Amino acid sequence: MHERARLLGWSAVGVLLAALAVPWFMWGSDGVAAGLPVWVWWHVGWLCLTAVVFWAFTRRAWGLGVEEVSRDG
């Protein structure tokens, strides 16, 4: 059961990251920060967050949900 909970947790994180990939709530916004549109900064932050989450996934859950194959074939 513990592995199933971890699998569901990482799946939820993946879905959340995918949902945040497009800043739909910023559509029509013309805000500018440091010379760039705010939506560009959203993507920079999102990419940094995604990189950190993927690093954590590779350290803690790599192979989660993958069934082991017996050596007998």
Side-chain angles (χ1 to χ4, degrees):
M1 186 66 174
H2 179 65
E3 183 175 342
R4 183 172 171 85
R6 288 180 55 206
L7 181 61
L8 289 173
W10 280 108
S11 297
V13 169
V15 168
L16 179 66
L17 284 175
L20 294 175
V22 177
W24 52 268
F25 50 87
M26 290 185 180
W27 288 355
S29 173
D30 57 356
V32 175
L36 291 173
V38 175
W39 62 267
V40 171
W41 291 114
W42 171 265
H43 285 293
V44 169
W46 180 84
L47 287 172
C48 291
L49 175 65
T50 303
V52 170
V53 169
F54 187 66
W55 175 82
F57 175 76
T58 61
R59 298 289 180 220
R60 298 170 191 241
W62 193 256
L64 185 66
V66 178
E67 297 179 25
E68 289 189 24
V69 177
S70 67
R71 294 182 186 243
D72 297 337

